[in-house]
Amino acid sequence: MSESKEVDYTLNNPDTLTKYKTAAQISQTVLEAVKSWIAEDAKILELCERGDKLLLEETAKVYKGKKISKGIAHPTTVSPSSFVTPYTPLSSDADEAAATLKGAEFIKIQLGAHIDGFGAIVCDTVVVPSEDKHHEREADLILATYWANELLLRLLLPPGLLAQGSDEEKQKAAATKPISQARITLLLEKVVASYGCKLVESTTCWSFERNEIEGKKKIIMAPVDGVKGEGVPEIGDVWGVEVGVSLGTGKMKTLSNRPTLHRRTTTTYGLKRPTSRQILSEVVKKFGTFPFSLRQLEDERAAKMGVLECVRGNVLRQYEVVGDKDGEPVARVFSTVAITKNGLTRLASPPAPDLSKYRSDKKITDEEILSLLDLPLAKASTSKSKPKKK
């Protein structure tokens, strides 16, 4: 009997990239659907529920008959204007369940699908349409966020990956020391400052792995309390790239809203309450190690009780609801990207805004940043185009 080969889950295996791309396509489809439902007075809870329903419907259509896990890598969340973190209320919390969108506010939609544990998460910022309301600094916030994200993606490229010239010149470029995280923060701060904005403190990008969206590497922008990131982006990596920008100071505070997002940890703990054990069992079966909302559990009210011991015992991590300290509007985008020998590929990412719609008297003037933004993200295609038939 032949020994079963260990499965290669890295990007060296073409199936891995295919699964990431399939999950990403689903995430993009659902993101656009949720965006189309955005309207003044729309209920946040209903938007989240509809988004999750669509994620499950779309993942059910692919890899039929295959013995692989698939589903939600990140529940649909809709965060109001000053909220920084993903937000999804519960139907059993009457006040929060009744929360609706306000005209002209900046909302953040985040969600994700996974195929065989390969998650593709995406987040975009949308301004709620309104006939009679308009935020005077809408253009500044949207443009600052867009260009900061574009710059960050270019700073993730390993040194020399897209270098041109002689072999000697390419080797010299590849030997360059990777950009430091402090330098990344400095450059991004310059971009957003061009539009009178601030980076949201402690915004973190994580490397992705199979069944893991907070891997071994992380980049922390505008860190506080001496916290540092770990590792550098390399060929073969998949990253969750996040950018948060505020019209205020960029400082954060924990809000009074109930934390409803959780995620299983690797900690084992002897839970005493039957309800807690039941909740953990359901989480393991339904979500694995991906984030989930208490509203996705079978008994939401029991979940609110059972989750308490799980969090105390550190078998579940609780995501606090965090917002801008001054209540100022915040924009946030999140992309899932792959780094290959040919450059950086956007797997799931927010679509570029129509820049012609955003008029601002501010602009980026720093020559270094402008030159970095001119750099490509990937090598140009070498395939020769066929001559057109006359």
Side-chain angles (χ1 to χ4, degrees):
M1 186 181 287
S2 61
E3 293 183 12
S4 59
K5 291 184 179 178
E6 187 175 336
V7 180
D8 180 4
Y9 290 119
T10 71
L11 291 185
N12 292 327
N13 182 348
D15 286 345
T16 295
L17 191 55
T18 299
K19 288 170 181 174
Y20 268 123
K21 287 182 175 179
T22 303
Q25 190 172 20
I26 292 170
S27 298
Q28 297 279 174
T29 297
V30 179
L31 173 66
E32 291 309 307
V34 177
K35 286 166 68 173
S36 73
W37 304 333
I38 298 303
E40 194 167 2
D41 297 326
K43 283 192 174 182
I44 292 176
L45 175 60
E46 290 179 3
L47 293 170
C48 294
E49 291 174 335
R50 291 177 70 186
D52 283 357
K53 183 173 181 288
L54 189 54
L55 279 170
L56 291 174
E57 289 173 353
E58 292 298 315
T59 52
K61 295 176 183 177
V62 299
Y63 287 87
K64 288 183 175 180
K66 305 286 186 182
K67 290 186 177 181
I68 61 172
S69 62
K70 54 185 180 177
I72 298 176
H74 192 288
T76 306
T77 59
V78 178
S79 306
S81 190
S82 64
F83 285 43
V84 173
T85 51
Y87 173 68
T88 175
L90 304 181
S91 59
S92 55
D93 288 340
D95 289 344
E96 293 194 40
T100 58
L101 301 181
K102 298 178 178 62
E105 76 168 329
F106 300 86
I107 62 160
K108 284 72 66 178
I109 304 166
Q110 183 162 323
L111 53 86
H114 82 87
I115 302 295
D116 197 19
F118 299 106
I121 298 172
V122 64
C123 174
D124 198 6
T125 294
V126 179
V127 179
V128 180
S130 175
E131 292 184 4
D132 57 350
K133 299 173 187 172
H134 175 77
H135 197 288
E136 60 182 4
R137 297 200 56 204
E138 177 182 323
D140 291 339
L141 186 56
I142 296 297
L143 292 172
T145 306
Y146 170 70
W147 288 117
N149 185 56
E150 288 299 305
L151 179 60
L152 178 56
L153 293 177
R154 284 155 176 79
L155 297 178
L156 292 181
L157 290 168
L161 181 59
L162 304 182
Q164 297 181 335
S166 65
D167 289 343
E168 185 179 347
E169 288 172 323
K170 290 179 181 178
Q171 289 174 356
K172 185 177 179 182
T176 305
K177 190 176 180 181
I179 186 169
S180 70
Q181 297 199 13
R183 180 74 176 152
I184 289 175
T185 292
L186 179 64
L187 290 172
L188 293 181
E189 283 177 337
K190 284 184 178 181
V191 170
V192 299
S194 300
Y195 294 96
C197 299
K198 292 282 189 179
L199 280 182
V200 172
E201 64 182 11
S202 299
T203 301
T204 305
C205 304
W206 293 90
S207 60
F208 280 14
E209 297 165 15
R210 184 171 181 256
N211 295 316
E212 181 55 79
I213 60 166
E214 293 182 3
K216 299 179 178 69
K217 302 177 185 178
K218 60 182 175 181
I219 296 170
I220 305 176
M221 291 159 287
V224 294
D225 300 329
V227 178
K228 293 183 178 180
E230 300 173 47
V232 295
E234 298 172 290
I235 293 175
D237 284 356
V238 173
W239 281 79
V241 182
E242 182 172 358
V243 170
V245 180
S246 170
L247 285 178
T249 62
K251 304 294 183 184
M252 298 189 299
K253 68 176 181 181
T254 301
L255 303 179
S256 60
N257 304 72
R258 178 193 296 275
T260 64
L261 276 182
H262 297 76
R263 181 170 178 258
R264 185 162 65 92
T265 70
T266 55
T267 301
T268 55
Y269 176 78
L271 297 170
K272 296 178 175 60
R273 291 166 130 346
T275 310
S276 305
R277 293 196 295 270
Q278 184 179 338
I279 293 301
L280 182 60
S281 176
E282 186 181 354
V283 168
V284 172
K285 184 179 179 181
K286 282 187 176 179
F287 313 110
T289 54
F290 287 109
F292 65 93
S293 168
L294 296 182
R295 64 176 172 75
Q296 294 172 283
L297 297 174
E298 196 171 319
D299 188 335
E300 185 181 292
R301 292 183 183 277
K304 289 196 291 188
M305 297 299 295
V307 76
L308 298 176
E309 186 186 7
C310 293
V311 171
R312 280 199 304 268
N314 198 34
V315 294
L316 291 181
R317 173 186 167 191
Q318 177 172 285
Y319 290 87
E320 301 294 336
V321 183
V322 173
D324 186 89
K325 190 175 183 180
D326 306 311
E328 291 290 333
V330 170
R332 194 165 56 79
V333 291
F334 192 110
S335 306
T336 302
V337 304
I339 301 175
T340 70
K341 63 181 181 180
N342 293 319
L344 185 144
T345 300
R346 303 180 206 235
L347 299 172
S349 63
D354 182 350
L355 300 180
S356 66
K357 291 183 178 179
Y358 297 99
R359 305 283 181 181
S360 173
D361 59 353
K362 304 176 182 67
K363 64 179 181 178
I364 300 169
T365 57
D366 187 285
E367 290 298 330
E368 180 188 12
I369 289 171
L370 291 172
S371 63
L372 287 168
L373 287 170
D374 277 338
L375 296 175
L377 283 173
K379 294 176 182 177
S381 174
T382 55
S383 60
K384 295 181 179 179
S385 57
K386 295 181 180 179
K388 293 181 179 179
K389 292 182 180 180
K390 292 186 177 179

